[in-house]
Amino acid sequence: MRPVRSRLFWILLPLLSIVPIQAETGYDAWLRYPPVTEGVLIDAYGRLPATIVKLDNSPTLTSAQNEIVRGVRGMLGRTLRMESRPVQGGMILLGTFAAVKQALPGTALAADLITDGYWLKATVTGGRHVLLITAPNDRGVLYGAFALLRHIALHERIDQLDEKSNPYAPLRWVNQWDNLDGSIERGYAGRSIFFEDNHVLADLTRAADYARLLASIGINGCTINNVNANPRVLTPEFLPQLARIAAAFRPWGVELSISVDLGSPKTIGGLNTFDPLDPLVAAWWKQRVEEIYRIIPDFGGFVLKADSEGRVGPSTYGRTHADAANVLAAALKPHGGIVVYRGFVYNHHLDWRNLKNDRARAAYDNFHDLDGKFAANAAVQIKYGPIDFQVREPVSPLFGGLKHTNETIELQITQEYTGQQRHLCYLVPMWKQVLDFDLRVNGGDTPVKQIVAGKTFHRPLGGFVGVANVGRDLTWLGYDLAMANLYGFGRLAWNPNLAARQITEEWTRMTFNDDPRVIGTIVHLEMESWKVYEGYTGPLGLGTLTDILHGHYGPNIESAERNGWGQWIRADHKGIGMDRTLATGTGYIGQYPPEVARQYESLETCPDHLLLFMHHVPYTHVLHSGKTVIQYVYDSHYDAAEEAQQFPRWWQALQGRVDEQRYRAVLDKLDYQAGHAIVWRDAVSTWFLRESGIADAKGRAGHFPGRVEAESMRLDGYTVEDVTPSEDASRGKAAGCNTAPKNCTASYTYRGKSGWHDIDVQYFDANTGVARFELFVGKQLVQSWAADAGLPSNIPNGDTSTRKRIAGIELQPGDEIRIIGEPNGGDNASLDYIEIKEPAP
Ligand code: GCW
């Protein structure tokens, strides 16, 4: 009998042929390998040889082979035949130079490749098609495999491949700041994928999958524990556990390294000293290192933070940083290991009253005189700016100050001061500026990237280190869009000459899809985001005006002042900015080579975006842009916050074009960011208005049309409280519900025009409990929600201030708007205000 098809079937038929967009967790990041569906490409890739041969059995080559099989199966729907010896017909051939030479004598190999570099070559030998993936070492072959898969994922031609690629620098590491108890310093994506409860996790699947992600972008080392290191990591009980992580990394060519505590010989070694020049101490390190290499032969080395932020260091014995680095370096040297010594050394008890004191000077002052004293297998790791991962800093002058010392640059993938992976802040454009910055050492062409790669001063070692705090969250960094930073870091470490836009486009296409609308929107969002974040947090070189004493997240302008941490902005009623000039200030500018110093020293030539980092000026100082400083601050905050309002709108255009799960997750984050950008805008503008006494020429600062303060609503149970700092709440006050377990109510009678409106409820989401809210209009429950965002504070302030937008409500004069807050734990369901607005067009 012929099957009878209903009319519905024919109506649905066109829909059935659309490839459904599968829900995705984000776990696969940019290694999703979705099917290639375009006919032309299917034909072209169809000519790929059916067999893949790997010429030896090393774990890395095995990964390379497996990865190609996995990728080809996903993208082209074909399962390659895996062989370990050359076959008669066409093949993809994986092998090191040495192996290829043996298997296919006469193959001319690329002589100009260095360690980790690779060559992809489509060729015909003996009448058969061979796609050669070869390199001087195993890891290079693996990188070649990922490069091939990237070409296919980006729908590029591979039939005539002849691509040689060398890494820009030998050292391409990430530093994780994981604690052995499973917490992560500045981690925003769940607990550690390595540790729990002072042990290495039994299941290291995540560690292996992380290594795969790292390998795919050319990262060859991972330091797994916090630079604020627990000495326990070196104990005999712990080392075998580390070996398990090294084993999880090894197939991906990622070398394991650890952060150590200089005090270890004393704290865990039973010595009564950790003096780096004491022979017993040197012997202790040597013995520990031997023990490590016995079980981890490819161990990468040590990272050391000493004499910084409370860590012990060589100063205890009057020794230098070079002495400390070198005792470790000597122990590591016979095994090929290295020591990376952090240049992030400064006094956090600086006297703020002394106008000549300057934390920005610290790295250069501490290390410049030691130039040439560090061992050849040691490198000084320098944060990109002289303070601490701010949204904008000049490049550290120390890069130009060490000519006989290996260097690495430390960038922060973790968005500690740049929105903590709740705000979109894509840092590749910033890193590009830093890496391209020409320090003009000796008047020459000396961009930072070349210096740190060891090219400028012919150093044997050097490179790029990214602080990356991935956690157990399935998205790795807690936010799908933040993963562009991890991807971008790796790509830049491989080749800092890549354009930011190209990197972003690659990442977008591989992470989402090839829809031009998707690519256009996401690339635009990412590329705009740093400028926008800077605009509503801290422009003109002020740095992120965040709470530097606590969460490093929400606004708290004055937390930078009048304490020993030295992140001063020196603001008073008349003016603002750190005078770092040679003429009248701290002299910091003198640490730069003369051409750069001249540019920064003069108000005429100092760029606006660093003005307040370098100079103290009155609020009325006129910038190159023609605006006064104070008006620029207002404009920047209002404009950038306005642009952040557009982020979720742009994203909404992608509904149905990206999978629903990630679509929702990203939209939630962008909505949240849009709300928090307003918190920033208001806090900073209010503070500057108060401090300077100069009105916003456009009349915005201090005026909030449509806003109804919680403290002026009818309150039942709620009590009015002061918020600290006061600019973190509208008019400085909030209403808190301290009557737990009883609910509180705040209500207001609407007197405006009738029609459609949006209601924004601004509340504080403390992390000590999950309060709930209900919003009623008249008797009708319009919205209820939970305050469960896990923000980094337990009180009402700029960290916890959160917006809930209830869009599209018809209001009529006389309507009662009522909010019921249900406190929970320590979260008092605090309210700041409601704002009633006509919907944006
Ligand atoms: O940025 C600061 C962080 C600290 C960090 C330190 C460092 C690991 O706030 O959490 O400690 O820098 O880089 O050593």
Side-chain angles (χ1 to χ4, degrees), residues 298-555:
D298 53 355
F299 181 69
F302 292 145
V303 175
L304 182 58
K305 173 176 177 181
D307 277 329
S308 168
E309 299 186 330
R311 309 299 303 171
V312 298
S315 67
T316 308
Y317 302 97
R319 310 301 186 201
T320 70
H321 298 298
D323 295 332
N326 292 348
V327 68
L328 304 187
L332 289 157
K333 189 165 174 232
H335 311 276
I338 63 168
V339 56
V340 181
Y341 196 94
R342 294 185 84 236
F344 185 64
V345 176
Y346 68 102
N347 170 4
H348 67 278
H349 299 290
L350 275 185
D351 181 2
W352 58 270
R353 292 169 201 85
N354 183 342
L355 295 181
K356 296 288 176 189
N357 279 347
D358 186 359
R359 166 166 165 191
R361 294 187 57 115
Y364 190 96
D365 284 346
N366 279 307
F367 286 88
H368 178 249
D369 289 347
L370 296 173
D371 189 20
K373 305 246 160 60
F374 287 85
N377 64 327
V380 175
Q381 178 156 310
I382 305 169
K383 289 192 181 185
Y384 63 83
I387 298 287
D388 190 10
F389 299 137
Q390 299 299 292
V391 68
R392 170 90 69 171
E393 294 186 41
V395 308
S396 172
L398 186 57
F399 291 119
L402 299 176
K403 299 185 183 126
H404 310 281
T405 304
N406 303 320
E407 297 180 16
T408 62
I409 185 169
E410 184 172 319
L411 302 171
Q412 205 185 32
I413 297 154
T414 301
Q415 293 172 235
E416 177 181 353
Y417 288 94
T418 51
Q420 305 190 350
Q421 289 120 260
R422 294 186 190 91
H423 290 234
L424 177 63
C425 185
Y426 178 52
L427 296 165
V428 166
M430 185 231 265
W431 297 337
K432 282 285 290 180
Q433 283 190 14
V434 168
L435 295 169
D436 288 343
F437 187 84
D438 188 352
L439 276 160
R440 312 291 301 159
V441 183
N442 300 336
D445 177 20
T446 56
V448 169
K449 59 188 172 195
Q450 286 185 16
I451 299 177
V452 299
K455 296 180 194 295
T456 308
F457 303 122
H458 312 291
R459 302 298 314 162
L461 191 68
F464 304 83
V465 177
V467 174
N469 292 343
V470 307
R472 274 180 231 171
D473 189 280
L474 283 182
T475 59
W476 297 96
L477 286 174
Y479 187 5
D480 293 298
L481 296 190
M483 288 293 275
N485 282 325
L486 180 57
Y487 183 82
F489 168 76
R491 298 290 284 145
L492 284 181
W494 185 270
N495 179 6
N497 296 322
L498 290 173
R501 183 164 290 275
Q502 182 196 328
I503 295 175
T504 324
E505 220 180 285
E506 277 178 10
W507 173 81
T508 304
R509 293 174 66 189
M510 293 193 290
T511 301
F512 290 96
N513 57 50
D514 242 355
D515 177 341
R517 183 93 182 248
V518 170
I519 300 170
T521 303
I522 297 180
V523 170
H524 186 59
L525 270 166
E526 297 273 3
M527 293 295 288
E528 284 290 286
S529 59
W530 169 49
K531 192 186 75 193
V532 168
Y533 188 81
E534 177 185 32
Y536 63 71
T537 58
L540 299 176
L542 283 170
T544 318
L545 293 171
T546 188
D547 189 336
I548 68 142
L549 301 174
H550 300 100
H552 300 183
Y553 183 59

Side-chain angles (χ1 to χ4, degrees), residues 750-780:
Y750 177 70
R751 298 274 170 225
K753 281 195 288 187
S754 55
W756 293 105
H757 287 85
D758 292 344
I759 304 178
D760 287 343
V761 179
Q762 198 72 27
Y763 64 100
F764 297 94
D765 181 352
N767 63 8
T768 36
V770 177
R772 299 196 61 86
F773 294 93
E774 289 179 330
L775 181 123
F776 289 80
V777 174
K779 293 206 173 63
Q780 186 179 345

Side-chain angles (χ1 to χ4, degrees), residues 3-21:
V4 183
R5 290 192 168 135
S6 70
R7 273 186 58 171
L8 189 64
F9 175 86
W10 297 109
I11 294 169
L12 289 178
L13 186 62
L15 296 178
L16 295 176
S17 62
I18 294 175
V19 183
I21 301 182

Side-chain angles (χ1 to χ4, degrees), residues 29-76:
W30 51 86
L31 297 179
R32 294 161 48 252
Y33 304 135
V36 171
T37 51
E38 284 164 58
V40 208
L41 290 168
I42 298 175
D43 285 353
Y45 294 140
R47 290 190 286 275
L48 195 70
T51 303
I52 181 162
V53 176
K54 78 168 157 104
L55 292 176
D56 75 55
N57 257 332
S58 77
T60 314
L61 276 200
T62 305
S63 297
Q65 189 185 39
N66 289 340
E67 191 69 23
I68 292 182
V69 171
R70 175 175 175 172
V72 167
R73 187 184 285 152
M75 293 189 284
L76 309 178

Side-chain angles (χ1 to χ4, degrees), residues 89-106:
M91 60 186 156
I92 303 171
L93 189 64
L94 296 168
T96 58
F97 283 179
V100 170
K101 232 185 234 150
Q102 245 187 9
L104 298 181

Side-chain angles (χ1 to χ4, degrees), residues 47-53 81 83 86-93 123 125-131:
R47 290 190 286 275
L48 195 70
T51 303
I52 181 162
V53 176
R81 183 181 284 272
E83 297 289 350
V87 292
Q88 290 306 315
M91 60 186 156
I92 303 171
L93 189 64
T123 167
T125 20
R128 55 197 173 163
H129 285 279
V130 175
L131 177 49

